[in-house]
């Protein structure tokens, strides 16, 4: 790790020196050996003037690659400072899918400025892509793919592909279409490589081609690519006409986003806070705003429901004037154990519902309840031993033991069932967050504890 | 979704009918059009006898693909029932990387049984792969890749690749090695496609090839593939000799695992519980055991630290006999708010530390504390208004307000700093789990609350 950081530091210093000495031609040549992302890293570190100067000497395809991968802020900054004609030439080299992803992140004014610069044909395609709802397959797909007509033979197809492949994002798969551009098959470059020249595409293609619908949630594309080990998946419209492809690098990006999203949401924050946190250019102010926006709501819910807990507590205040008043000291214990069990069960259930699309079946519920019973009994045993050693009264120990066991069971039941019920109601189970679970278990826990106490000693 | 389920149900019924009618040749032919994973889904649904019968009639390469993708339990079950010679032939078709992944999940006896069946050469390669520590790049890599010597020209290279490509897992990249098998460059099939026949590999290759070390954590491979949009990344040893490749489908698998792992761990469960939960063949008993094993430890920690909370509470019991005794009812509120703020801050910090390898810098800490101050002040305002409306005493309101604010700030500070400190100590920040955070904030919270009460009214 350190060695890698050293070498990127060295590269940066070298670039900086060459820029200061104005050796731009040499610099351009040297950078040819480096990966786009390494050059992007250097650009991010450079001062404003150097940034534009370096970007302008990059070969068009490298510049295009960088704009495909960069953040919207960087994109706007660079494009607003370079020559319009140069920008147009760079846009021409860009994948329209990636360009539309960046346009999606901009406000309307900025977006229209860019759409004014690109060619008329590209503008139409971009507007088509931008029309898709966010997070659908259509909004995620790219336009650069290779199709061959099903009637071509291998030599014709190879000729066709060689003429087109420079434009295509991915030639890992070749999609076979009929005369109406409907997707009818797929083959890999490898299949083409090892087939006889005279075979037609229809002969050698795989007919049962996996695809996703353009207006479907992009999660479906993630699942298909992952399950079937694909490098790209075609996107078709309702009629089966090929509209674009989603490549595995897009899938990786989506997975990265969604993975941390689940955890942000569960802990009681938001997607939006994650997006801002991961944007390297976001200011402290933007971060604070996103953080407050994401979290404050859950904390207000916590506060308000805590008044209910306080109210229940107050209703049973008679306990304080009995000789069992020491049971009061165990209120936080009872509540925290219940809350923690519910957090565990709900996290596991939410993950199963969201990520794995697994049927949360009877066995899952059974597993949670049986495990909770075992965990509860162990906790009761430990608690009883500690309390005995501390010289606790038998009645108190019994009350605490029963309360722990019941709260553990209720926590597991509530943590498991709440996401399942919400899912059944077709709502997003990720509204089940740790803060909400915890505070609801406070309300349930304090009520159960005092009811048990009342049952034993009467209040 | 439903349409997809219907069509897979139809396919299953069709297969079942053909098996019952013993039309095995027709069945084999029909299945040729289907994806391995679809056939695997059917196998999983079939009864034991039909399972083996169907597996045996599958073409060797399909059978091999299925064993590459299946769970260890299924693998053991099938292999123990089919003919040894047939098993050997299927193993010959399998990727050694995938085979070793499955062997890794078996116990020693089962593993040795399989190693007895494979060819001597494969056994040696498998033992080499199995020797790598779990979750390193070496343990994740595959053996099927294509190398060309740097001195070959394009026509020689194409001839070489056509003769080898049937064996290779991935011909998306061609790795260029020197005479000592050290990795010196990379090129894509596409580069080869568009280059002159007489160019040598050294002329057309990209020299600055991204690779990972075989004994490094596989997370590094995930980061590289994701950052540089690769389809595969080569794995080299300390000398730079090419040892294997990790393909993007392995990366997707790793990402899927790690994503839900983070959430399981944070909620106070374990990787192991996740593995068992995702294994479709695990029994209720195995699931319960893994669940208890994963969660009980955190609950015991919760219980034991709760005794500290109870002890502190007891020490300040004098409060009950003052006229401010109503402050007792707000103990759960103060503790839950502190715990929830700490959970939010720690989840965000842990995610940043683990997943993004982001420097958690001064700005992160500043963001957490500034946001916590804002959130705290809003909560204090709401709480004060509600308490005023309920006719609370001014002194009580002041004490509760100050306690909420201080607990929110402490929660944010503790939730942010604890993972950072643990990370600095080179321990895994994922030991910071929601249950532990919550119960530690109970201890801190109850102490702070009673100290503030004492400061105001003297206990």
């Amino acid at each position: 790790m350190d060695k890698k950081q050293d070498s990127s530091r060295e590269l940066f210093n070298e670039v900086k020196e060459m820029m200061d000495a104005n050796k731009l031609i040499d610099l351009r040549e040297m950078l040819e050996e480096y990966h786009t992302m390494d050059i992007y890293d250097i650009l991010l570190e450079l001062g404003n003037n150097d940034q534009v100067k370096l970007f302008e000497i990059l070969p068009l395809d490298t510049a295009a690659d960088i704009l495909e991968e960069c953040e919207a802020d960087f994109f706007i900054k660079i494009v607003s400072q370079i020559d319009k004609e140069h920008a147009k030439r760079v846009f021409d080299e860009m994948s329209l899918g990636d360009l539309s992803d960046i346009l999606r992140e901009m406000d309307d004014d900025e977006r229209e400025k860019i759409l004014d610069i690109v060619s008329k044909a590209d503008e139409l395609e971009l507007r088509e892509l931008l029309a898709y709802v966010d997070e659908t397959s259509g909004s995620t797909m790219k336009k650069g793919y290779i199709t061959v007509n099903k009637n071509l033979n291998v030599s014709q197809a190879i000729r066709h592909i060689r003429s087109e492949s420079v434009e295509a994002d991915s030639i890992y798969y070749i999609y076979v279409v009929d005369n109406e551009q409907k997707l009818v098959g797929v083959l890999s470059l490898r299949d083409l490589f090892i087939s006889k020249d005279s075979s037609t595409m229809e002969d050698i293609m795989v007919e049962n081609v996996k695809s996703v619908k353009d207006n479907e949630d992009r999660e479906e594309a993630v699942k298909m690519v992952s399950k079937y080990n694909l490098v790209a998946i075609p996107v078709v419209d309702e009629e089966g006409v090929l509209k674009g492809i989603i490549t595995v690098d897009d899938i990786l990006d989506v997975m990265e986003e969604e993975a941390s999203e689940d955890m942000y949401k569960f802990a009681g924050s938001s997607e939006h806070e994650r997006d801002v946190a991961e944007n390297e250019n976001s200011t402290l102010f933007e971060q604070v705003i996103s953080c407050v926006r994401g979290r404050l709501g859950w904390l207000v819910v916590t506060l308000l429901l805590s008044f209910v807990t306080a109210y229940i507590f107050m209703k049973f205040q008679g306990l304080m004037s009995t000789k069992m008043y020491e049971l009061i000291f165990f209120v936080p214990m009872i509540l925290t154990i219940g809350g923690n069990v519910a957090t565990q069960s709900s996290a596991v259930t939410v993950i199963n519902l969201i990520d794995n699309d697994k049927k949360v079946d009877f066995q899952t519920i059974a597993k949670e309840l049986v495990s909770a019973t075992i965990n509860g009994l162990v906790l009761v045993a430990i608690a009883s031993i500690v309390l005995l050693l501390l010289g606790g009264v038998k009645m108190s120990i019994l009350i605490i033991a029963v309360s722990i066991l019941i709260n553990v069971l209720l926590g597991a039941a509530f943590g498991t069932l709440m996401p399942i019920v919400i899912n059944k109601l077709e709502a997003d189970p990720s509204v089940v967050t740790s803060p909400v679970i915890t505070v609801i278990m406070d309300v349930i826990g304090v009520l159960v504890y005092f009811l048990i106490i009342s049952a034993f000693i009467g209040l």
Side-chain angles (χ1 to χ4, degrees), chain A:
Chain A
M1 203 60 216
D2 289 332
K3 234 167 74 190
K4 271 175 200 159
Q5 277 165 354
D6 282 353
S7 78
S8 75
R9 176 102 329 256
E10 243 168 60
L11 177 62
F12 177 77
N13 292 337
E14 206 174 334
V15 169
K16 192 84 184 80
E17 258 169 48
M18 289 171 88
M19 294 204 67
D20 292 344
N22 224 16
K23 292 185 187 161
L24 296 182
I25 310 283
D26 293 353
L27 178 57
R28 178 185 160 127
E29 200 165 297
M30 183 192 86
L31 287 178
E32 256 169 37
E33 269 303 312
Y34 288 89
H35 192 285
T36 313
M37 292 307 289
D38 295 328
I39 301 175
Y40 178 49
D41 285 344
I42 293 172
L43 279 168
L44 284 178
E45 279 198 61
L46 284 172
N48 202 20
N49 284 339
D50 280 347
Q51 215 171 39
V52 175
K53 202 160 111 188
L54 178 55
F55 187 86
E56 283 186 323
I57 61 161
L58 292 174
L60 283 181
D61 58 339
T62 309
D65 285 349
I66 287 174
L67 291 190
E68 284 173 5
E69 294 294 327
C70 72
E71 303 280 347
D73 296 348
F74 178 87
F75 185 97
I76 294 171
K77 198 165 113 194
I78 288 287
V79 172
S80 65
Q81 291 182 81
I82 62 175
D83 178 66
K84 265 220 171 112
E85 276 310 304
H86 186 63
K88 187 172 165 37
R89 280 192 298 271
V90 177
F91 292 161
D92 277 348
E93 296 287 318
M94 281 182 74
S95 141
L96 292 179
D98 289 323
L99 184 50
S100 81
D101 289 344
I102 294 171
L103 291 177
R104 219 169 252 282
E105 291 174 42
M106 297 181 187
D107 52 39
D108 290 350
D109 285 359
E110 297 287 354
R111 189 183 305 129
E112 291 303 321
K113 266 188 229 161
I114 307 292
L115 287 169
D116 272 353
I117 304 179
V118 300
S119 72
K120 203 70 207 162
D122 284 357
E123 186 189 335
L124 286 177
E125 288 219 52
L126 284 169
R127 288 196 191 276
E128 188 193 322
L129 287 170
L130 288 167
Y132 282 104
V133 178
D134 234 16
E135 308 210 343
T136 58
S137 289
S139 78
T140 311
M141 71 191 183
K142 298 185 160 124
K143 281 296 188 177
Y145 50 85
I146 290 193
T147 58
V148 290
N149 189 284
K150 63 179 183 168
N151 302 315
L152 295 187
N153 68 31
V154 169
S155 349
Q156 289 169 323
I158 289 185
R159 225 171 12 247
H160 173 71
I161 292 162
R162 286 182 85 150
S163 71
E164 290 215 0
S165 69
V166 182
E167 285 283 338
D169 283 322
S170 146
I171 49 165
Y172 304 126
Y173 298 117
I174 297 144
Y175 298 103
V176 185
V177 293
D178 64 13
N179 296 330
E180 278 104 45
Q181 299 297 313
K182 283 190 191 162
L183 181 67
V184 294
V186 64
L187 46 96
S188 68
L189 210 47
R190 177 172 160 178
D191 297 329
L192 213 58
F193 238 56
I194 59 179
S195 295
K196 285 197 216 90
D197 283 349
S198 60
S199 320
T200 69
M201 296 302 100
E202 208 168 4
D203 296 336
I204 63 174
M205 74 187 188
V206 175
E207 277 174 48
N208 183 11
V209 40
K210 301 290 169 195
S211 64
V212 289
K213 290 268 162 60
D214 53 358
N215 49 21
E216 235 172 358
D217 192 310
R218 61 184 185 177
E219 278 287 321
E220 189 58 28
V222 172
K223 277 172 203 153
M224 298 286 277
V225 166
S226 168
K227 172 167 184 184
Y228 293 106
N229 290 340
L230 306 172
V231 179
I233 190 160
V235 181
V236 298
D237 67 10
E238 287 300 324
E239 275 73 48
V241 173
L242 184 58
K243 304 301 278 184
I245 58 168
I246 299 179
T247 53
V248 73
D249 54 295
D250 299 321
I251 297 286
L252 286 176
D253 293 342
V254 172
M255 282 183 76
E256 267 183 3
E257 272 181 42
E258 308 263 336
S260 42
E261 242 173 67
D262 290 343
M263 185 127 149
Y264 268 79
K265 282 191 193 164
F266 185 73
S269 178
S270 68
E271 263 176 72
H272 180 255
E273 183 184 341
R274 195 202 61 86
D275 291 344
V276 175
E278 305 225 328
N279 179 347
E280 312 212 342
N281 295 311
S282 61
T283 61
L284 180 58
F285 179 72
E286 286 166 342
Q287 290 195 358
V288 168
I289 294 297
S290 76
C291 183
V292 171
R293 249 181 65 182
R295 302 184 194 176
L296 183 56
W298 300 116
L299 294 176
V300 171
V301 172
T302 304
L303 178 73
L304 296 179
L305 283 173
S306 289
F307 276 108
V308 179
T309 312
Y311 177 77
I312 296 170
F313 204 153
M314 194 188 76
K315 280 283 157 197
F316 289 94
Q317 61 181 285
L319 174 62
M320 283 196 256
S321 41
T322 71
K323 60 178 186 201
M324 302 290 277
Y325 69 91
E326 289 185 338
L327 288 171
I328 294 266
F329 310 143
F330 295 91
V331 167
M333 175 186 285
I334 303 292
L335 303 195
T336 295
I337 289 175
N340 283 350
V341 169
T343 296
Q344 291 174 330
S345 295
S346 60
V348 168
T349 310
V350 168
I351 273 282
N352 282 335
L353 287 169
I354 303 180
D355 273 14
N356 308 326
D357 208 24
K358 253 183 79 168
K359 288 182 299 287
V360 175
D361 51 10
F362 175 73
Q363 181 162 328
T364 313
I365 302 174
K367 171 194 119 180
E368 291 292 336
L369 292 181
V370 175
S371 317
T373 311
I374 298 174
N375 286 341
L377 290 172
V378 175
L379 293 176
V380 163
I382 297 176
S384 305
I385 292 170
V386 174
L387 286 168
L388 270 174
L389 292 176
L390 295 174
V393 191
K394 282 203 184 115
M395 176 74 95
S396 301
I397 298 179
L398 184 60
I399 290 174
I400 290 172
V402 171
S403 302
I404 288 178
L405 186 60
I406 292 185
N407 258 306
V408 166
L409 289 174
L410 286 175
F414 176 70
T416 311
L417 294 177
M418 183 169 161
I420 294 178
V421 169
I422 287 177
N423 197 50
K424 280 254 187 274
L425 299 174
E426 311 248 315
D428 182 357
S430 68
V431 300
V432 179
T433 66
S434 172
V436 170
I437 291 280
T438 308
V439 73
I440 295 181
M441 282 310 297
D442 274 0
V443 174
I444 297 177
V446 79
L447 186 62
V448 166
Y449 187 46
F450 282 117
L451 286 176
I452 291 172
I453 295 175
S454 300
F456 276 87
I457 66 170
L459 285 183

